[in-house]
Amino acid sequence: MKIERIRLRQIRMPLKHHFETSFGRTYERRIVLVEVEDGDGAAGWGEVTCGENPFYNEEWVDAAWMILRDYAAPRVLRAEVESAADIAPLTARVRGHRMARGGLEAACWELEARKKGIPLWRHIGGTRSETQSGVSIGIQDSREELLAIVAAALADGYRRIKIKIKPGWDIDAVAAVRERFPQTPLMADANSAYTLADRERLRQLDAFGLTMIEQPLAHDDIVDHAELQKSIATPICLDECIRTARHAEQAIRLGACRIVNIKLGRVGGFREARRVHEVCAANGIPVWCGGMLEAGIGRAHNIALSMLSNFTLPGDVAASKRYWSRDIVAPAVEVTPQGAIAAPSGPGLGYALDRERIEALTERREELT
Ligand code: OSB
Ligand code: MG
């Protein structure tokens, strides 16, 4: 494989509903798309999953653009590699910035799958035929609104509910959902809003039979999560903390988590995502696929990733229509009334790009050769 051309573009897409986490509100996404092309003119697409601001992790769109243009693209362009699995090491000298590097890496995998004429999920080694879908529900202004959104998601077939929590919107919110929906698989995601000083408060969540609590403590603190897991019954799931397979190995060894949320961008693409998946599988730790409010390309990549065998828990990858009035793939990503997303049968992403839509949303572009 040899990449001859890389096209960066930034699109801007308003969310149907704003999304609030413990680190802030998002009304509109700005997303960097990466298109790679080889000498035969074959193309592959990737999506950079970082946020608009460096609040989830250190990455954001403007930095991603610079990393791609000034560091990642020059190392990938015209490099002769055996396969897409050899792309990630080309940019390994860059510390961090995994979402930027991962967007490019994923595009190369997509190109390779397309050239082989097989679906991306199969190309990365996926064996599942569908993935169960859950929803991630942001912090709401009232418990009534939260309950209405949960009820609607369950009516749509989604298999588990995740609610975002933060100090001041935690025990009461979880209690309200649990009281109204006693049997629903339910979990909470704190996005690092707590510290070990909140141990007692977090222990109170044990009363609600949550399937897990996601990333309660600092984004970079595996040790404190291990400490916390000793004093709460609810399984801890790590998100932000796991950027490499090595982190997964260390977190598992320390007892810092019993479940791992794998995000393709956060770990830098498919090569590392597969390694995280392997480490977890070898240790009996189930995984699920997280989301970053992706547009259709990133969503399709997430679906491909979710077909690996150890993705046994419902993920955050939901239907396009929960986020967008019109996605950048057509037809859009859909979830069955049973809450499943089927493995697509077409080559590569398995979802056709809506080029007209992408063009209309583009606000910045650059071609690198
Ligand atoms: O922590 O999982 C998270 C969205 C943005 C940043 C971080 C997270 C999320 C979500 C939404 O939970 C998942 C999605 O619906 O794409
Ligand atoms: Mg999370």
Side-chain angles (χ1 to χ4, degrees), residues 110 113-114 116-123 128-130 300 303-304 307 331 341-352:
E110 210 254 319
R114 246 182 234 254
K116 287 184 195 283
I118 59 173
L120 178 58
W121 63 268
R122 205 182 278 285
H123 184 45
R128 311 181 76 85
S129 57
E130 62 171 42
I303 292 165
M307 299 305 157
I341 300 176
S345 54
L349 290 181
Y351 288 86

Side-chain angles (χ1 to χ4, degrees), residues 34-55:
V34 184
E35 183 185 5
V36 296
E37 201 178 286
D38 69 5
D40 304 333
W45 287 75
E47 180 173 325
V48 177
T49 64
C50 65
E52 290 66 40
N53 298 292
F55 300 157

Side-chain angles (χ1 to χ4, degrees), residues 131-134 156-159 335-341:
T131 180
Q132 301 288 325
S133 198
D156 285 342
Y158 286 100
R159 303 303 285 263
V335 169
T336 69
Q338 292 74 40
I341 300 176

